[in-house]
Structure formats: structure tokens, C-alpha cells
Amino acid sequence: MPLLAWISATLDRQRGVLFHWVPVLLAAGIGAYFALPTEPSAAQYGLIAAGIAGLSGAAWRAGAQAAPVFVALALIGTGLCLAGARAHGVAAPVLEFRYYGPVTGRIVKVDRSASQKPRVTLDQVVLERTAPDRTPERVRLSLHGEQGYVALQPGLTLMVTAHLSPPPGPAEPGGFDFRRMAWFDRLGAVGYARSPALTLAPAEAGARGLAIARLRAAISRGVQSLMPGEAGAFAAAITTGDRSAMAPETIEALRKSNLAHVLAISGLHMGLLTGFVFAALRVAMAAIPYAALRWPTKKIAAVAAIGAGFFYYLLSGGIVATERAMIMITVMFVAILCDRRAISLRSVAIAATLVLALRPESLTEPGFQMSFAATTALVAAFAVLREYDRSWLPRWARPVLALVVSSTVAGAATAPIAAAHFNRIADYGLIANLIAVPAMGLLVMPAAVLAALLWPLGLSFMGLALMKPGVEWILGIAHWVAALPGSVTPVVAPGTAVLPALALGGLWLVLWQGRARWIGVLPMVLGLALWMQTERPVLLVAESGGLVGVMTEGGRALNKPRGDGFVALSWLENDGDSADQEGAHARPGAADGLIDLGGLPIIHLSGRGAIDRVEESCRSASLVIIAKPAQSDAPCLLVDAERLRDTGALAVTLEAGVLKLSGARDAARRLWSP
């Protein structure tokens, strides 16, 4: 058949690079799993598994030219099954009701909430009058009110009276689903306490299994005691992952300047650390004639670098971003041990395949997307540069060119992803990275390694003293760039098809061989066109029923200046609106509870006597919203607490003069959705 012959001939020209598509195909299956409206049944999984087996058999029997087609389809099915297996494998009880009462548990993590209150994650949880099989495996609590009676640290068993509720769903249909993220973290309830937390058992009694967490806490305290202030808080964050001492203003400045990645322990830190260890050991062994002539110094340094990276991974708390970076670094150094090129698209593909196999849910996270987008683009860009003669460049200019190229390429590859997830573009991010990142590699990370080596001798202050100027330089650049006029451009949240289209186009450009690679431009253009045509809902209703926001000519107007703050911020950010909640409340259109939507009156009832006004409101309005359970015999569309409990947050659109409501839970019946 002509079509099969053409496919075979096309694939034959891609021999040698087909493996690069393995993680892409797995990701397609994983993405399909998370896009499903309902959880597949056991029978459906069985059919998919049978299909994979059949496709694998067909690939075995088919000729070498046709086999890749069957393998590709099998990999997509494998990705879907991997995601399903992972989702079922992490299943843990989720609180099904609002709880108020005693909470007992062992602290496994200490950090700070968005309101800068101390926050603890507990395991070994005990709730009053709650059966063990209904008790969440992990609970996260923000500690408000008068605290300070307990020195919070991993291992300590805490007792406190708290309010708990199930992890919240999306702030709007199609929005970020915290409940799904909590499911994979086995976090079954979140809440807060206003009463003082008390110690039920000392940290030493609950230390089992938390040795690394306790070491992290000790190192963080030690770093901050030797380097006080914001510099010490930053140093603790990049060495142990503990950001609890970072000021919100500093974190925001790092985000606005596109330097937030230097705070997260991920590929940059792992690469700088292991690269320094690798290079330092090779230089040290080269200085010893016996070792240089008789030992495989390159491989010894590679093994030591893997060990240093693994220790750094443990010290960071084993978070997903660091785990991903550790896998990538390990693959690259293993390539050195096997006398293969360390940095290649094949190495990136192996690392991505391992990460997706171990944590399929990471595909939906911005960290995974930005990390592999930057790495893939950088490897491809430098592979192109290797083909050009750079001997005309002065020796001193070559690292400068490498820095400019790497910052530009990585910035261009990650900018759409960052804009889609965080609804902002850091306009001066390239400038900030060109100035600040060299200090990270030349001063901060080498000094951190020196401090770690000197720590057992009690001389770590020497390494930290060398580290401090580099840290202060980075923070100074962040604050300077963030303060520049127009440092941030708000961006509207794209539709669900935008990022997949951009990713497919970019990967096709990089991975496909031959002139047909330029076909990748088409899905990228399509994705950008869809993004530019994004339309936001004219009316949004929070799951609580207490907050509504209507789109006006001046931006979204909110009905209240405080309360449901996270939801309000999410709406405004997704609109590409830089206003805060108070500013959005000051806009006319929703403050008095009466909303005009294309000539259709909508009433939001609140305050005393709201229930008594439902019947009258239904006679005069097309839609009535109230945060309490209510009923009405009048002919209107009533959205009350019971309906919102079923639908989640609501988005209202106006189509041909008719109101159309869509809920965050309308079509989703997944493991993590009630």
C-alpha cells in the first residue's frame, strides 16, 4: 500500500533518533489519563493492557520498518496505565467532612503558609471520633493565634485543636486542581488552628525515619545562625530547601525578575554542585602524578559527583523537582562511566522516561515541563553550535557567548510554560539571569560545597563567609530588576489545548530529522493563536458561594474586598489582571449584590435575612446565588450551598441571551474528586 510504504520510508530516515520519542509518547498517554472525565474501570484497564500486548506482538512480527508504529501506540497505552497505577498506588483516606476538634500527629515538615504563618505537615494522625480507615494519612495545618509554646521540628508529636476540611478543588472550572496534587502527596486534609499547639511527645521519640528531615532542620538553623538576615534565609533555602525564613517580598522579587529558579533546588543547583565536584576532583587527581597515570580519574570523579548529588537530593527533602534533577544528573554521569557523551538528547530522553515512569503526575507540574523544555532546547542549541567554527572568537568571549546563548535559549523555551502557569512574563528576566546566574556557579555553589566539607571541623563559617557576597549580589539584582517599571506583564490563562500544541510543535522542531521538522511551526502558531483568542467567563462563583466576580470593561469586579482570598487572586491572575482583591472590589458591577449580565439580572444574597429574600429575588432575577441551603418555588435558576457542594466553583457564560453554567466537578469523577 502506498501509505504504508511512505510511513515506512519516513520512519526509516529517523533511525537512530526514534528513542527520543519514547518519553513524548509516554507523556501523551499520561496526559490522556489526566484528561479523562471519569476514572477507568478495571475492565477498561484490562482492555488497554490487552491492546498493549497485542500491539507489542504485532511489532515483534512486523518488519523493522512497520514496527515503530505499533510500538508508538503501545507506549501511549503504557503511559495511560502507568498514570492509573500510580494514582491507585498512592490512594489514602481523604477527609469527607468538616472537622473541628483535637488533632494529634507527628511533624514531618515545617514551613510557612501564604499568610506567613507557621505551617506543619503531620503523619500518624489521630482525630477524635474518627475511625482509622477514615483518618487521613497526612494533614497540613497553619498555626494562627498565639503560638510559640512549642519548638516546631520534625519528629515532634503535636496536639492541637484545629479546623480541618478536605483539600479544596479548583477555584474555577479548568483551573489548578489542588485536590489532585494533594492526592499524589497523600495529603488528606488541610486546615488551621487558633489555639496554642502543645507537645505530646518530644522530637527524639518520633525521630524514626526522619533522620534526613532532622538533619535538614539542623543545617538550616546552623546556616541562619552563622549568616543572619535575608542572605542566611536564602542560603538555607538553596542548601536544604527550607524557605520558611524567606520574606514574602524577597520571594516576590525573585519571581518578578525571573530568578525564582535559583531558589528551587532543581536542575541548576544539582548541575552546578555535581559539576563543581566532578571538575574539582579531576583537577585534584591530575595534580597527583601516580593517580593521573594509573587511575581512571574521570570515572572516579563521576562516581563521586553522583554521590554528592544523591546526598544533596536527600538533604533537600527528596522533593519532586530535586528527584527529577537527580535522575537527569545520574543518567549523564552514567554515560561518562560508559564512555558515552554525557549531554545528549538520548540522555535527556532516558531521564524523562525514568521520571515519567516513577512519577507520572509530574507531567502536569510546571517544574517538570520547564526543566525538560530548557534542557532539551539547550542540548539541541549547543549541538547546532558545535557544527560552526568558533575559533575566530577570543578565548575570553567563548564563555560569555555560552552564557548568553544558554540564558536566551532556556528563557525562550520556558517562557510560554511559565506564562501559562503563573500568568506573568518577567520582561527583564534575561537581563537578571545574565547578571545573577554566574555568581551562583562561580561563587555560591563552590562556597556551599566548601562549607559542607568544613562543617565537621566546625569551620563552615569560612565557606559561608565566601558564599554571602554572592547571595547578596543575587538578591540585590532581584530587587533591582523587580523594581524597574514594567518588570512584569500579566498574561491571561490559556485554554487546555495551548500548552500541548506548543510542546508538540517545539518537540517536533527539535527531534524530527530533515526539512519536515519545520512542520513543527504549525502547531506552535496554532497554540499561540488559540491563546490570543482566549475568552474568560463573564461570571465566576466560588465554591463557598460567598465570592462572585463579574467581568466588566475595567476588569473583573468582585463583590467583597476580603475573604476567599486565594480564589479571588486565582481569578484575577487567570484574567491577566494585576489588581488585588480590594482593587477589584472597588470596581463597579458587583459590590451591591446586583449584577447585570447582558440585560439579565443576577442577584447575590448575603448577610442577615438572606434566606428570607430568596423567594422575592427569584421573581425578579434570572439567577440567584446564596451561600446557604435554600429553596424557591419561583421560576429562577437558584445556586445555593447544596448545589455548589455538588458542582464546585461555577463559571457562567452568556450564549445567545441564555445563561450557561459549568461546574468544576461537572464532568470529573476521578479518584481525587468526591
Side-chain angles (χ1 to χ4, degrees):
M1 296 175 64
L3 178 60
L4 290 178
W6 177 81
I7 293 175
S8 297
T10 301
L11 292 176
D12 191 56
R13 289 192 292 270
Q14 304 298 314
R15 298 292 174 185
V17 296
L18 288 176
F19 179 77
H20 299 165
W21 290 94
V22 169
V24 179
L25 295 166
L26 285 177
I30 294 168
Y33 169 80
F34 285 111
L36 291 174
T38 58
E39 194 68 28
S41 64
Q44 289 170 326
Y45 277 121
L47 288 174
I48 296 171
I52 294 171
L55 289 167
S56 301
W60 180 266
R61 296 187 192 92
Q65 293 180 329
V69 177
F70 297 110
V71 172
L73 295 174
L75 284 170
I76 294 174
T78 301
L80 192 150
C81 290
L82 280 173
R86 171 71 175 168
H88 284 275
V90 299
V94 177
L95 195 66
E96 300 174 353
F97 52 90
R98 291 186 178 274
Y99 172 90
Y100 173 72
V103 178
T104 302
R106 183 183 67 160
I107 297 177
V108 294
K109 183 180 180 181
V110 180
D111 58 357
R112 286 191 176 273
S113 66
S115 59
Q116 291 303 296
K117 300 298 182 182
R119 187 170 66 182
V120 294
T121 302
L122 308 176
D123 70 353
Q124 301 177 9
V125 179
V126 177
L127 304 181
E128 188 178 56
R129 298 188 302 277
T130 304
D133 61 344
R134 299 184 65 197
T135 301
E137 185 174 312
R138 289 194 170 198
V139 164
R140 196 172 73 186
L141 286 174
S142 296
L143 303 178
H144 297 254
E146 186 179 355
Q147 299 294 337
Y149 298 98
V150 175
L152 302 174
Q153 55 180 310
L156 183 142
T157 301
L158 199 69
M159 179 174 63
V160 66
T161 301
H163 297 262
L164 292 178
S165 60
E172 61 177 273
F176 168 69
D177 193 349
F178 176 78
R179 185 183 289 117
R180 184 178 69 189
M181 186 182 76
W183 175 267
F184 286 97
D185 289 338
R186 296 182 178 177
L187 186 65
V190 295
Y192 64 92
R194 298 194 182 278
S195 60
L198 303 175
T199 299
L200 191 63
E204 290 72 19
R208 185 174 181 178
L210 296 177
I212 296 297
R214 290 165 62 80
L215 176 62
R216 289 177 62 226
I219 292 176
S220 179
R221 290 193 300 268
V223 168
Q224 293 179 63
S225 66
L226 294 172
M227 191 191 301
E230 201 62 21
F234 181 91
I238 65 172
T239 52
T240 67
D242 177 16
R243 303 188 191 182
S244 60
M246 294 284 296
E249 297 79 11
T250 300
I251 295 177
E252 184 63 16
L254 289 166
R255 289 172 179 164
K256 286 184 175 181
S257 59
N258 199 29
L259 288 174
H261 65 94
V262 303
L263 192 61
I265 300 180
S266 56
L268 174 66
H269 304 71
M270 191 68 75
L272 291 174
L273 172 74
T274 55
F276 175 76
V277 171
F278 178 76
L281 282 177
R282 288 203 68 188
V283 169
M285 287 186 287
I288 305 172
Y290 182 86
L293 295 173
R294 293 173 174 81
W295 295 354
T297 57
K298 187 176 181 180
K299 295 184 178 181
I300 292 174
V303 172
I306 293 174
F310 184 70
F311 178 74
Y312 193 29
Y313 160 69
L314 294 176
L315 193 62
S316 71
I319 59 176
V320 177
T322 317
E323 179 182 88
R324 180 173 59 249
M326 180 62 211
I327 291 174
M328 292 177 67
I329 291 298
T330 301
V331 168
M332 292 178 183
F333 280 113
V334 167
I336 290 177
L337 295 176
C338 298
D339 296 315
R340 303 292 295 270
R341 179 180 291 173
I343 302 176
S344 66
L345 286 175
R346 180 174 291 271
S347 298
V348 177
I350 292 172
T353 301
L354 291 173
V355 172
L356 291 173
L358 293 171
R359 292 185 182 267
E361 72 276 11
S362 64
L363 175 69
T364 64
E365 299 169 358
F368 174 91
Q369 297 169 12
M370 295 175 70
S371 176
F372 279 102
T375 305
T376 303
L378 285 170
V379 172
F382 280 98
V384 172
L385 285 179
R386 278 197 298 268
E387 299 176 3
Y388 291 91
D389 180 19
R390 300 189 303 276
S391 59
W392 58 272
L393 272 176
R395 187 174 296 275
W396 62 266
R398 294 176 189 175
V400 176
L401 175 64
L403 175 62
V404 172
V405 170
S406 59
S407 296
T408 304
V409 170
T414 58
I417 302 170
H421 286 285
F422 307 121
N423 306 109
R424 61 172 67 182
I425 295 176
D427 296 334
Y428 306 122
L430 176 59
I431 296 173
N433 277 272
L434 287 174
I435 301 174
V437 169
M440 195 76 182
L442 298 175
L443 187 57
V444 174
M445 292 309 292
V449 174
L450 179 62
L453 294 174
L454 295 176
W455 192 283
L457 303 176
L459 300 174
S460 58
F461 66 90
M462 299 172 64
L464 295 176
L466 294 173
M467 186 181 186
K468 186 174 182 179
V471 170
E472 290 178 337
W473 172 260
I474 294 171
L475 294 178
I477 294 300
H479 284 287
W480 170 65
V481 171
L484 293 174
S487 60
V488 173
T489 299
V491 178
V492 66
T496 54
V498 171
L499 275 184
L502 293 176
L504 176 61
L507 288 168
W508 190 276
L509 275 173
V510 170
L511 301 182
W512 197 260
Q513 304 298 302
R515 288 181 294 179
R517 69 172 51 189
W518 296 107
I519 295 175
V521 173
L522 297 179
M524 297 180 72
V525 171
L526 175 62
L528 292 174
L530 291 173
W531 198 340
M532 294 174 65
Q533 296 174 4
T534 299
E535 292 186 7
R536 296 284 296 148
V538 291
L539 182 68
L540 289 168
V541 183
E543 185 175 349
S544 68
L547 180 71
V548 297
V550 59
M551 185 64 76
T552 68
E553 292 183 0
R556 191 170 301 278
L558 302 179
N559 67 308
K560 59 181 183 179
R562 286 177 298 278
D564 288 303
F566 175 78
V567 174
L569 181 62
S570 296
W571 290 353
L572 294 170
E573 287 183 345
N574 290 338
D575 290 338
D577 192 339
S578 58
D580 58 13
Q581 186 172 354
E582 290 188 5
H585 171 68
R587 296 166 177 165
D592 57 0
L594 179 60
I595 299 169
D596 182 6
L597 205 62
L600 298 178
I602 296 174
I603 295 177
H604 178 259
L605 297 174
S606 61
R608 292 184 179 181
I611 294 291
D612 300 330
R613 301 197 301 273
V614 170
E615 196 73 25
E616 178 185 354
S617 299
C618 268
R619 293 193 185 97
S620 59
S622 300
L623 173 64
V624 175
I625 304 164
I626 184 170
K628 299 178 180 179
Q631 292 182 345
S632 173
D633 296 327
C636 82
L637 186 57
L638 178 63
V639 173
D640 67 342
E642 292 183 357
R643 177 164 184 164
L644 288 168
R645 192 177 300 117
D646 292 335
T647 64
L650 284 174
V652 182
T653 56
L654 191 62
E655 297 182 6
V658 178
L659 295 176
K660 181 179 179 182
L661 279 65
S662 58
R665 300 180 192 163
D666 279 354
R669 292 294 179 267
R670 308 304 304 271
L671 292 174
W672 50 86
S673 299

Short mmCIF file of all heavy atoms in Angstrom, two decimals, residues 578-628:
data_model
loop_
_atom_site.label_atom_id
_atom_site.label_comp_id
_atom_site.label_asym_id
_atom_site.label_seq_id
_atom_site.Cartn_x
_atom_site.Cartn_y
_atom_site.Cartn_z
N SER A 578 -3.59 42.47 37.10
CA SER A 578 -2.62 42.68 38.18
C SER A 578 -3.23 43.31 39.43
O SER A 578 -2.52 43.57 40.40
CB SER A 578 -1.48 43.58 37.68
OG SER A 578 -1.99 44.83 37.23
N ALA A 579 -4.55 43.55 39.44
CA ALA A 579 -5.20 44.16 40.60
C ALA A 579 -5.23 43.17 41.76
O ALA A 579 -5.18 41.95 41.58
CB ALA A 579 -6.61 44.60 40.24
N ASP A 580 -5.34 43.70 42.99
CA ASP A 580 -5.55 42.85 44.15
C ASP A 580 -7.05 42.79 44.44
O ASP A 580 -7.87 43.41 43.75
CB ASP A 580 -4.77 43.36 45.36
CG ASP A 580 -5.13 44.79 45.75
OD1 ASP A 580 -6.15 45.31 45.26
OD2 ASP A 580 -4.40 45.39 46.55
N GLN A 581 -7.43 42.04 45.49
CA GLN A 581 -8.85 41.85 45.75
C GLN A 581 -9.55 43.15 46.11
O GLN A 581 -10.67 43.40 45.66
CB GLN A 581 -9.04 40.82 46.88
CG GLN A 581 -10.51 40.45 47.11
CD GLN A 581 -10.67 39.30 48.07
OE1 GLN A 581 -9.69 38.68 48.50
NE2 GLN A 581 -11.90 38.99 48.43
N GLU A 582 -8.89 43.98 46.90
CA GLU A 582 -9.51 45.25 47.27
C GLU A 582 -9.71 46.15 46.05
O GLU A 582 -10.75 46.81 45.92
CB GLU A 582 -8.67 45.95 48.33
CG GLU A 582 -8.69 45.28 49.69
CD GLU A 582 -8.01 46.11 50.75
OE1 GLU A 582 -7.60 47.25 50.44
OE2 GLU A 582 -7.88 45.64 51.89
N GLY A 583 -8.73 46.17 45.16
CA GLY A 583 -8.85 46.97 43.95
C GLY A 583 -9.96 46.47 43.05
O GLY A 583 -10.70 47.26 42.44
N ALA A 584 -10.11 45.14 42.95
CA ALA A 584 -11.18 44.58 42.12
C ALA A 584 -12.55 44.83 42.74
O ALA A 584 -13.54 44.99 42.03
CB ALA A 584 -10.95 43.08 41.93
N HIS A 585 -12.60 44.87 44.08
CA HIS A 585 -13.87 45.17 44.75
C HIS A 585 -14.29 46.61 44.51
O HIS A 585 -15.50 46.92 44.46
CB HIS A 585 -13.73 44.91 46.25
CG HIS A 585 -14.90 45.38 47.06
ND1 HIS A 585 -16.14 44.79 46.97
CD2 HIS A 585 -15.02 46.40 47.96
CE1 HIS A 585 -16.98 45.41 47.78
NE2 HIS A 585 -16.33 46.39 48.39
N ALA A 586 -13.33 47.51 44.35
CA ALA A 586 -13.64 48.92 44.14
C ALA A 586 -14.26 49.18 42.77
O ALA A 586 -14.84 50.25 42.54
CB ALA A 586 -12.39 49.77 44.33
N ARG A 587 -14.15 48.23 41.86
CA ARG A 587 -14.73 48.41 40.53
C ARG A 587 -16.25 48.28 40.59
O ARG A 587 -16.77 47.41 41.31
CB ARG A 587 -14.17 47.37 39.55
CG ARG A 587 -12.68 47.48 39.31
CD ARG A 587 -12.13 46.24 38.61
NE ARG A 587 -10.71 46.37 38.31
CZ ARG A 587 -9.92 45.35 37.98
NH1 ARG A 587 -10.42 44.12 37.93
NH2 ARG A 587 -8.65 45.56 37.72
N PRO A 588 -16.97 49.10 39.88
CA PRO A 588 -18.44 48.98 39.88
C PRO A 588 -18.88 47.73 39.14
O PRO A 588 -18.27 47.31 38.17
CB PRO A 588 -18.88 50.25 39.15
CG PRO A 588 -17.72 50.63 38.29
CD PRO A 588 -16.48 50.21 39.04
N GLY A 589 -19.97 47.13 39.66
CA GLY A 589 -20.54 45.99 38.95
C GLY A 589 -20.98 44.85 39.81
O GLY A 589 -21.82 44.05 39.39
N ALA A 590 -20.41 44.70 41.03
CA ALA A 590 -20.77 43.54 41.85
C ALA A 590 -20.89 43.85 43.33
O ALA A 590 -21.38 43.01 44.09
CB ALA A 590 -19.73 42.43 41.66
N ALA A 591 -20.47 45.03 43.76
CA ALA A 591 -20.37 45.31 45.19
C ALA A 591 -21.72 45.27 45.90
O ALA A 591 -21.81 44.90 47.06
CB ALA A 591 -19.69 46.66 45.41
N ASP A 592 -22.81 45.67 45.21
CA ASP A 592 -24.12 45.74 45.88
C ASP A 592 -24.92 44.45 45.75
O ASP A 592 -26.08 44.39 46.18
CB ASP A 592 -24.94 46.91 45.30
CG ASP A 592 -25.11 46.79 43.78
OD1 ASP A 592 -24.61 45.82 43.20
OD2 ASP A 592 -25.76 47.69 43.21
N GLY A 593 -24.34 43.40 45.18
CA GLY A 593 -25.03 42.13 45.06
C GLY A 593 -25.95 42.02 43.87
O GLY A 593 -26.55 40.97 43.64
N LEU A 594 -26.10 43.10 43.09
CA LEU A 594 -26.94 43.09 41.90
C LEU A 594 -26.05 43.20 40.66
O LEU A 594 -25.31 44.16 40.50
CB LEU A 594 -27.93 44.25 41.93
CG LEU A 594 -28.88 44.35 40.71
CD1 LEU A 594 -29.72 43.10 40.58
CD2 LEU A 594 -29.75 45.60 40.83
N ILE A 595 -26.10 42.20 39.79
CA ILE A 595 -25.23 42.12 38.62
C ILE A 595 -26.09 42.10 37.36
O ILE A 595 -27.07 41.34 37.28
CB ILE A 595 -24.35 40.86 38.68
CG1 ILE A 595 -23.47 40.88 39.93
CG2 ILE A 595 -23.49 40.73 37.43
CD1 ILE A 595 -22.76 39.57 40.20
N ASP A 596 -25.72 42.93 36.41
CA ASP A 596 -26.41 42.96 35.12
C ASP A 596 -25.54 42.25 34.10
O ASP A 596 -24.46 42.70 33.75
CB ASP A 596 -26.66 44.41 34.70
CG ASP A 596 -27.43 44.50 33.38
OD1 ASP A 596 -27.84 43.44 32.88
OD2 ASP A 596 -27.58 45.61 32.85
N LEU A 597 -26.04 41.10 33.61
CA LEU A 597 -25.26 40.30 32.68
C LEU A 597 -25.98 40.30 31.33
O LEU A 597 -26.86 39.47 31.08
CB LEU A 597 -25.10 38.87 33.21
CG LEU A 597 -23.87 38.09 32.72
CD1 LEU A 597 -22.60 38.78 33.16
CD2 LEU A 597 -23.91 36.67 33.27
N GLY A 598 -25.62 41.24 30.48
CA GLY A 598 -26.25 41.33 29.16
C GLY A 598 -27.74 41.54 29.23
O GLY A 598 -28.49 40.98 28.42
N GLY A 599 -28.20 42.31 30.20
CA GLY A 599 -29.63 42.55 30.36
C GLY A 599 -30.33 41.55 31.25
O GLY A 599 -31.52 41.71 31.56
N LEU A 600 -29.64 40.50 31.66
CA LEU A 600 -30.21 39.51 32.57
C LEU A 600 -29.79 39.83 34.00
O LEU A 600 -28.59 39.86 34.30
CB LEU A 600 -29.74 38.10 32.19
CG LEU A 600 -30.14 37.61 30.80
CD1 LEU A 600 -29.54 36.23 30.55
CD2 LEU A 600 -31.65 37.56 30.65
N PRO A 601 -30.73 40.10 34.90
CA PRO A 601 -30.38 40.44 36.28
C PRO A 601 -29.95 39.21 37.07
O PRO A 601 -30.59 38.15 37.00
CB PRO A 601 -31.67 41.04 36.83
CG PRO A 601 -32.75 40.44 36.01
CD PRO A 601 -32.18 40.17 34.65
N ILE A 602 -28.86 39.34 37.82
CA ILE A 602 -28.34 38.28 38.69
C ILE A 602 -28.20 38.87 40.08
O ILE A 602 -27.67 39.97 40.25
CB ILE A 602 -27.00 37.75 38.18
CG1 ILE A 602 -27.19 37.08 36.81
CG2 ILE A 602 -26.38 36.77 39.16
CD1 ILE A 602 -25.90 36.65 36.16
N ILE A 603 -28.66 38.15 41.08
CA ILE A 603 -28.62 38.64 42.46
C ILE A 603 -27.78 37.69 43.31
O ILE A 603 -27.99 36.47 43.28
CB ILE A 603 -30.04 38.77 43.05
CG1 ILE A 603 -30.83 39.84 42.28
CG2 ILE A 603 -29.99 39.11 44.53
CD1 ILE A 603 -32.27 39.98 42.75
N HIS A 604 -26.86 38.26 44.04
CA HIS A 604 -26.08 37.50 45.02
C HIS A 604 -26.53 37.93 46.41
O HIS A 604 -26.41 39.09 46.79
CB HIS A 604 -24.58 37.76 44.86
CG HIS A 604 -23.75 37.04 45.88
ND1 HIS A 604 -23.22 37.65 46.99
CD2 HIS A 604 -23.36 35.73 45.95
CE1 HIS A 604 -22.54 36.78 47.71
NE2 HIS A 604 -22.61 35.60 47.09
N LEU A 605 -27.08 36.98 47.18
CA LEU A 605 -27.62 37.27 48.51
C LEU A 605 -26.60 36.91 49.58
O LEU A 605 -25.96 35.86 49.52
CB LEU A 605 -28.90 36.47 48.73
CG LEU A 605 -30.07 36.78 47.78
CD1 LEU A 605 -31.21 35.82 48.03
CD2 LEU A 605 -30.52 38.22 47.95
N SER A 606 -26.46 37.80 50.55
CA SER A 606 -25.55 37.55 51.67
C SER A 606 -26.04 38.34 52.87
O SER A 606 -26.91 39.21 52.77
CB SER A 606 -24.12 37.94 51.30
OG SER A 606 -24.05 39.32 51.00
N GLY A 607 -25.46 38.06 54.02
CA GLY A 607 -25.79 38.79 55.24
C GLY A 607 -27.06 38.27 55.90
O GLY A 607 -27.65 37.26 55.51
N ARG A 608 -27.48 38.97 56.94
CA ARG A 608 -28.66 38.58 57.69
C ARG A 608 -29.92 38.66 56.82
O ARG A 608 -30.08 39.58 56.04
CB ARG A 608 -28.84 39.47 58.91
CG ARG A 608 -27.76 39.29 59.98
CD ARG A 608 -28.07 40.14 61.18
NE ARG A 608 -27.07 39.96 62.22
CZ ARG A 608 -27.09 40.58 63.41
NH1 ARG A 608 -28.08 41.44 63.68
NH2 ARG A 608 -26.15 40.36 64.30
N GLY A 609 -30.78 37.69 57.00
CA GLY A 609 -32.04 37.69 56.27
C GLY A 609 -31.92 37.28 54.83
O GLY A 609 -32.88 37.43 54.06
N ALA A 610 -30.76 36.73 54.41
CA ALA A 610 -30.58 36.35 53.01
C ALA A 610 -31.58 35.27 52.60
O ALA A 610 -32.15 35.33 51.51
CB ALA A 610 -29.15 35.87 52.78
N ILE A 611 -31.82 34.30 53.49
CA ILE A 611 -32.75 33.23 53.18
C ILE A 611 -34.15 33.78 52.93
O ILE A 611 -34.87 33.34 52.02
CB ILE A 611 -32.78 32.20 54.33
CG1 ILE A 611 -31.43 31.47 54.45
CG2 ILE A 611 -33.91 31.19 54.13
CD1 ILE A 611 -31.13 30.55 53.31
N ASP A 612 -34.53 34.79 53.71
CA ASP A 612 -35.88 35.34 53.58
C ASP A 612 -36.08 36.09 52.27
O ASP A 612 -37.22 36.31 51.86
CB ASP A 612 -36.17 36.28 54.76
CG ASP A 612 -36.09 35.56 56.10
OD1 ASP A 612 -36.38 34.35 56.11
OD2 ASP A 612 -35.72 36.20 57.11
N ARG A 613 -34.98 36.48 51.62
CA ARG A 613 -35.11 37.26 50.39
C ARG A 613 -35.01 36.40 49.12
O ARG A 613 -35.05 36.93 48.02
CB ARG A 613 -34.01 38.34 50.35
CG ARG A 613 -34.06 39.31 51.52
CD ARG A 613 -33.25 40.58 51.23
NE ARG A 613 -31.86 40.31 50.94
CZ ARG A 613 -30.90 40.21 51.86
NH1 ARG A 613 -31.20 40.35 53.15
NH2 ARG A 613 -29.65 39.97 51.52
N VAL A 614 -34.85 35.08 49.30
CA VAL A 614 -34.68 34.21 48.14
C VAL A 614 -35.90 34.22 47.24
O VAL A 614 -35.81 34.39 46.01
CB VAL A 614 -34.36 32.77 48.60
CG1 VAL A 614 -34.43 31.81 47.41
CG2 VAL A 614 -32.98 32.71 49.23
N GLU A 615 -37.09 34.04 47.84
CA GLU A 615 -38.31 33.96 47.04
C GLU A 615 -38.54 35.22 46.23
O GLU A 615 -38.82 35.19 45.03
CB GLU A 615 -39.50 33.69 47.97
CG GLU A 615 -40.74 33.21 47.25
CD GLU A 615 -40.62 31.78 46.78
OE1 GLU A 615 -39.82 31.02 47.37
OE2 GLU A 615 -41.29 31.44 45.79
N GLU A 616 -38.40 36.36 46.89
CA GLU A 616 -38.61 37.64 46.20
C GLU A 616 -37.57 37.85 45.10
O GLU A 616 -37.90 38.32 44.00
CB GLU A 616 -38.55 38.78 47.21
CG GLU A 616 -38.70 40.17 46.61
CD GLU A 616 -38.50 41.27 47.63
OE1 GLU A 616 -38.36 40.95 48.83
OE2 GLU A 616 -38.47 42.44 47.22
N SER A 617 -36.32 37.49 45.39
CA SER A 617 -35.25 37.68 44.40
C SER A 617 -35.49 36.80 43.18
O SER A 617 -35.21 37.20 42.05
CB SER A 617 -33.90 37.36 45.03
OG SER A 617 -33.62 38.22 46.13
N CYS A 618 -35.99 35.60 43.39
CA CYS A 618 -36.20 34.69 42.27
C CYS A 618 -37.29 35.19 41.32
O CYS A 618 -37.31 34.81 40.15
CB CYS A 618 -36.58 33.31 42.80
SG CYS A 618 -35.14 32.22 43.04
N ARG A 619 -38.17 36.03 41.83
CA ARG A 619 -39.22 36.56 40.96
C ARG A 619 -38.70 37.66 40.03
O ARG A 619 -39.30 37.93 38.99
CB ARG A 619 -40.37 37.12 41.80
CG ARG A 619 -41.14 36.07 42.59
CD ARG A 619 -42.43 36.64 43.14
NE ARG A 619 -43.10 35.66 43.99
CZ ARG A 619 -43.01 35.63 45.31
NH1 ARG A 619 -42.29 36.54 45.94
NH2 ARG A 619 -43.66 34.71 45.99
N SER A 620 -37.59 38.29 40.41
CA SER A 620 -37.10 39.43 39.63
C SER A 620 -35.76 39.17 38.94
O SER A 620 -35.31 40.01 38.17
CB SER A 620 -36.95 40.65 40.54
OG SER A 620 -36.04 40.38 41.60
N ALA A 621 -35.10 38.03 39.22
CA ALA A 621 -33.77 37.77 38.67
C ALA A 621 -33.75 36.47 37.88
O ALA A 621 -34.55 35.56 38.10
CB ALA A 621 -32.74 37.72 39.80
N SER A 622 -32.84 36.39 36.94
CA SER A 622 -32.66 35.17 36.16
C SER A 622 -31.83 34.14 36.92
O SER A 622 -31.98 32.93 36.72
CB SER A 622 -31.97 35.49 34.83
OG SER A 622 -32.73 36.39 34.08
N LEU A 623 -30.95 34.62 37.77
CA LEU A 623 -30.06 33.75 38.54
C LEU A 623 -29.89 34.33 39.94
O LEU A 623 -29.64 35.53 40.09
CB LEU A 623 -28.70 33.63 37.86
CG LEU A 623 -27.59 32.89 38.61
CD1 LEU A 623 -27.96 31.43 38.82
CD2 LEU A 623 -26.26 33.00 37.85
N VAL A 624 -30.07 33.49 40.95
CA VAL A 624 -29.88 33.90 42.34
C VAL A 624 -28.81 33.01 42.96
O VAL A 624 -28.86 31.78 42.84
CB VAL A 624 -31.20 33.80 43.15
CG1 VAL A 624 -30.95 34.10 44.62
CG2 VAL A 624 -32.24 34.75 42.58
N ILE A 625 -27.86 33.63 43.63
CA ILE A 625 -26.73 32.92 44.25
C ILE A 625 -26.76 33.19 45.75
O ILE A 625 -26.86 34.35 46.18
CB ILE A 625 -25.39 33.39 43.66
CG1 ILE A 625 -25.39 33.22 42.14
CG2 ILE A 625 -24.23 32.62 44.28
CD1 ILE A 625 -24.29 33.99 41.45
N ILE A 626 -26.66 32.16 46.56
CA ILE A 626 -26.65 32.30 48.01
C ILE A 626 -25.74 31.24 48.59
O ILE A 626 -25.68 30.11 48.08
CB ILE A 626 -28.09 32.19 48.59
CG1 ILE A 626 -28.06 32.44 50.09
CG2 ILE A 626 -28.72 30.85 48.26
CD1 ILE A 626 -29.45 32.58 50.70
N ALA A 627 -25.02 31.58 49.64
CA ALA A 627 -24.03 30.67 50.22
C ALA A 627 -24.63 29.72 51.24
O ALA A 627 -23.89 29.01 51.92
CB ALA A 627 -22.90 31.47 50.87
N LYS A 628 -25.96 29.68 51.36
CA LYS A 628 -26.64 28.78 52.30
C LYS A 628 -27.60 27.88 51.56
O LYS A 628 -28.02 28.20 50.44
CB LYS A 628 -27.39 29.62 53.35
CG LYS A 628 -26.50 30.53 54.17
CD LYS A 628 -27.32 31.36 55.14
CE LYS A 628 -26.44 32.29 55.97
NZ LYS A 628 -27.23 33.13 56.90
#
